[in-house]
Amino acid sequence: LKDLGYTEVQCVVVEIKERFSVVLIPELAMETRISSSLQEIPLNTSVRLSVSSVDLPDLSVFFQISS
């Protein structure tokens, strides 16, 4: 993703759970979870995420909230 220019992506919070929020990344057609324990993010809020790591064997991408 970083090689394709996706160091940061825009996402929208679509579901809030006790320990995490589910976000939708429209430009990648991807849904992922982010930790909610760091800060409370309201539903339907637009948030910028940055790619923290990529696990190719598992086909997983890990994001963190951009500051």
Side-chain angles (χ1 to χ4, degrees):
L1 284 173
K2 290 181 180 183
D3 292 342
L4 296 174
Y6 289 106
T7 55
E8 285 192 342
V9 292
Q10 195 73 25
C11 70
V12 178
V13 178
V14 294
E15 186 176 3
I16 299 172
K17 298 282 189 177
E18 186 175 317
R19 296 174 49 190
F20 62 88
S21 296
V22 178
V23 296
L24 180 64
I25 306 169
E27 65 185 295
L28 298 177
M30 181 179 188
E31 184 179 281
T32 190
R33 297 185 291 176
I34 57 173
S35 175
S36 292
S37 61
L38 299 176
Q39 62 190 52
E40 182 66 31
I41 302 171
L43 193 61
N44 294 323
T45 301
S46 182
V47 178
R48 289 209 55 85
L49 299 179
S50 59
V51 177
S52 59
S53 66
V54 177
D55 183 352
L56 286 178
D58 192 37
L59 299 176
S60 299
V61 181
F62 300 94
F63 297 94
Q64 61 187 18
I65 298 174
S66 299
S67 51

